[in-house]
Amino acid sequence: MSLSDIAKFLTTHNGRDKFVRTLCYSTRLISTLISSERYADSLNKIGSELSSVRTTLRLFDDIPMLNYTLTYGFGKQVCQDANPILSSGLINHLSINVKLVFFLISLTTSHLWQEEDKVVRLLNVLMNAIDQTYYPIEHIAWAADHKLLTLDSNPWWVATSWCWVISLYLGLIK
């Protein structure tokens, strides 16, 4: 990997987050493996600061996450031509109730969706909902830690942990 490749990687939000996350987890892992308490404490402090950086940077992830969730919706359609109502433009002339019924029926028509497995599609939608919930909860916890809100941040951090665990669990099931 060249210096140019590393620079390109670190200039993106995703690249920088992956790098900081890897460094954060590495310092915490190494701190458990070394025998010197002084160095272990130093590595834990570094890991804690890197974790704080990631939390602060996630303050700006709401809009990208919302965009992703809205773009994904209930799973992306693969082929609109598979259904004559979708491909002909007739859907634009139907009432909202008929559109809703058609949409609900189309959710069960797996050939219209990238994720042909209905369970995978459902798990992705649930993961998006949980991940979308995570961000505002984390923002409240962060704001409370920084005395921007006068409330105890601990229950909010516990809630973010639950969101994270549930999302992780759904991802493993998927």
Side-chain angles (χ1 to χ4, degrees):
M1 186 176 268
S2 71
L3 181 61
S4 177
D5 291 336
I6 294 169
K8 284 179 189 174
F9 181 73
L10 291 176
T11 57
T12 67
H13 173 74
N14 251 358
R16 195 172 13 256
D17 183 61
K18 286 177 183 176
F19 178 77
V20 172
R21 179 179 55 215
T22 302
L23 195 55
C24 174
Y25 292 156
S26 297
T27 58
R28 291 188 176 191
L29 175 65
I30 294 168
S31 74
T32 64
L33 301 175
I34 61 175
S35 58
S36 169
E37 194 172 316
R38 185 178 129 223
Y39 290 127
D41 286 344
S42 294
L43 286 172
N44 275 324
K45 286 179 186 174
I46 291 169
S48 182
E49 288 298 319
L50 291 171
S51 180
S52 294
V53 165
R54 291 187 66 227
T55 301
T56 303
L57 289 174
R58 276 195 301 272
L59 292 171
F60 305 101
D61 283 349
D62 294 274
I63 292 175
M65 182 62 205
L66 180 61
N67 183 58
Y68 175 79
T69 299
L70 293 175
T71 301
Y72 184 85
F74 292 104
K76 297 177 183 171
Q77 292 184 358
V78 174
C79 178
Q80 289 189 347
D81 295 334
N83 190 298
I85 293 176
L86 285 175
S87 60
S88 69
L90 287 175
I91 192 126
N92 297 330
H93 303 290
L94 300 175
S95 74
I96 190 70
N97 292 336
V98 175
K99 286 180 186 178
L100 180 60
V101 169
F102 179 76
F103 175 73
L104 293 173
I105 291 169
S106 72
L107 282 177
T108 61
T109 312
S110 63
H111 67 276
L112 291 175
W113 304 92
Q114 274 184 353
E115 296 86 7
E116 292 187 20
D117 187 335
K118 294 173 192 171
V119 174
V120 171
R121 206 170 44 232
L122 175 64
L123 290 171
N124 281 333
V125 169
L126 290 173
M127 284 173 59
N128 285 345
I130 294 294
D131 293 345
Q132 195 65 53
T133 304
Y134 172 88
Y135 287 102
I137 295 171
E138 185 183 53
H139 298 342
I140 293 168
W142 179 88
D145 278 352
H146 290 84
K147 309 293 184 234
L148 300 173
L149 298 174
T150 54
L151 49 90
D152 180 17
S153 67
N154 195 42
W156 296 96
W157 286 119
V158 170
T160 62
S161 295
W162 276 108
C163 286
W164 179 75
V165 166
I166 293 167
S167 181
L168 208 65
Y169 183 71
L170 291 172
L172 290 173
I173 292 172
K174 186 175 79 161

